[in-house]
Amino acid sequence: MGRVLVQVMPKPEILDPQGKAVSAALPRLGLEGFTDVRQGKRFELVVEGPVTPAVLAQARRAAEQLLANPVIEDVVSVADADAAVS
Amino acid sequence: MKIGVVTFPGTLDDRDAARAVVRGGGEAVALWHADADLRGVDAVVLPGGFSYGDYLRAGAIASIAPVMGPVVEAARGGMPVLGICNGFQVLCEAGLLPGALVRNDVRTFVCRDQRLRVEDASTAWTSAFETGQEIVVPLKNGEGGYNADERTLDELEGEGRVVFRYLGGNPNGSQRDIAGVRDASGRVVGLMPHPEHATEPGYGPTEHGGGASGDGTDGLGFFTSVLTALASA
């Protein structure tokens, strides 16, 4: 069983109210020093067999066509999960 | 004239939209997200709500629901389509309208009677108004911030495709106070505020004097306009 990790972030120029809310909450826990927080998404796409180049290509298509909206988001990475941790 | 009103799982305002269609003088036809055809309707309304629970992004899953295939095809062929709130988000996700809606900059859900300026009364859904007219309809959203890149915004403004602008304060951080836009043909229109909630005296906006109508029915013009557009087609 293989896993592909896809990471999506709001584009730098797009306001990220969720990140702002998190950023404003951190000091309440005494966690000072973080000047900004931006919140994105991580997807795990599971396949039966190994993560082949063809699987990665499919995952890239999934990322660009559905997982991210190119108007407001960037696909930051599409990678084999096991390769990513090793 | 038959106006289809699409219900996705999680749609909330389909009944109000259907009622608005009837109050405007049309026949409302219920369409289901899994439908493969449009049951012979002459126009389509994508109502508000939280289709598919707003999972992934508001409107993202709905934009590729089975019924959207024929809706997109019909829209490209000139059928009038109105997207309200979540319906606007669906139209943007489907690529029928430019831009995207993101979380309100104020970080809260905003619900209020909203003043709008009609910037373009030439569309299939706004001919009952005058360009520059001020109307009041309810606004209720958490992800209503209209965003597009500068080039797209300039293009929209240059081509006169901004149909509505917020007045009396921008409620959600929408760029250039944009509340609604149209496609190049003027037959596909999307907006965040809710005209379908302002079609019946006693049930619409009460603030700002009840709007131009004086009785909270400023939204009715959307649903009479489309019948005019269809009659003259």
Side-chain angles (χ1 to χ4, degrees):
Chain A
M1 192 188 80
R3 254 182 335 138
V4 181
L5 293 188
V6 176
Q7 300 194 72
V8 173
M9 288 295 291
K11 281 184 187 293
E13 66 270 27
I14 299 286
L15 181 74
D16 173 19
Q18 288 189 110
K20 286 258 178 290
V22 174
S23 181
L26 286 174
R28 288 181 220 146
L29 297 173
L31 297 165
E32 310 280 350
F34 297 108
T35 56
D36 195 20
V37 176
R38 293 186 69 76
Q39 181 178 327
K41 294 172 187 158
R42 166 181 157 139
F43 300 87
E44 300 184 1
L45 308 183
V46 179
V47 289
E48 295 247 343
V51 176
T52 61
V55 166
L56 279 175
Q58 285 277 74
R60 226 167 269 125
R61 277 187 56 200
E64 283 157 12
Q65 291 180 16
L66 183 61
L67 307 184
N69 178 341
V71 177
I72 49 173
E73 295 168 319
D74 290 323
V75 178
V76 177
S77 68
V78 178
D80 183 337
D82 298 320
V85 292
S86 63
Chain B
M1 292 291 180
K2 293 180 178 175
I3 316 290
V5 177
V6 178
T7 301
F8 299 100
T11 294
L12 300 176
D13 299 324
D14 42 347
R15 294 292 290 270
D16 275 27
R19 192 170 170 84
V21 164
V22 172
R23 288 195 60 80
E27 179 189 343
V29 176
L31 298 174
W32 180 234
H33 74 116
D35 285 351
D37 74 89
L38 300 181
R39 300 176 191 246
V41 300
D42 304 294
V44 169
V45 176
L46 302 180
F50 299 88
S51 58
Y52 301 91
D54 271 355
Y55 290 177
L56 188 60
R57 292 177 306 277
I61 310 279
S63 75
I64 52 172
V67 76
M68 285 305 292
V71 167
V72 170
E73 196 185 323
R76 297 218 160 109
M79 180 184 278
V81 177
L82 175 67
I84 303 168
C85 194
N86 189 223
F88 183 20
Q89 295 163 336
V90 173
L91 289 177
C92 288
E93 283 283 345
L96 284 175
L97 292 175
L101 286 308
V102 301
R103 265 169 221 277
N104 297 347
D105 62 346
V106 290
R107 298 182 218 164
T108 56
F109 193 96
V110 175
C111 185
R112 70 187 198 193
D113 292 346
Q114 179 66 48
R115 289 169 55 218
L116 301 173
R117 187 169 56 236
V118 180
E119 300 279 20
D120 180 5
S122 76
T123 81
W125 298 94
T126 57
S127 64
F129 304 108
E130 304 284 335
T131 294
Q133 188 181 340
E134 202 180 306
I135 61 171
V136 178
V137 300
L139 173 89
K140 44 165 192 162
N141 67 65
E143 300 190 36
Y146 185 75
N147 268 266
D149 59 36
E150 288 297 310
R151 193 177 56 84
T152 304
L153 292 170
D154 289 342
E155 226 171 78
L156 283 172
E157 305 243 29
E159 293 169 9
R161 289 169 55 192
V162 175
V163 183
F164 302 98
R165 243 184 267 267
Y166 294 114
L167 291 177
N170 185 330
N172 46 32
S174 289
Q175 289 177 328
R176 305 191 192 184
D177 297 337
I178 291 172
V181 299
R182 66 168 171 86
D183 72 344
S185 75
R187 298 179 77 78
V188 179
V189 171
L191 78 165
M192 285 313 295
H194 288 264
E196 83 284 17
H197 293 328
T199 60
E200 200 160 356
Y203 294 90
T206 52
E207 290 176 32
H208 313 297
S213 55
D215 62 0
T217 60
D218 286 1
L220 203 54
F222 287 69
F223 303 93
T224 56
S225 294
V226 69
L227 299 181
T228 308
L230 290 170
S232 64

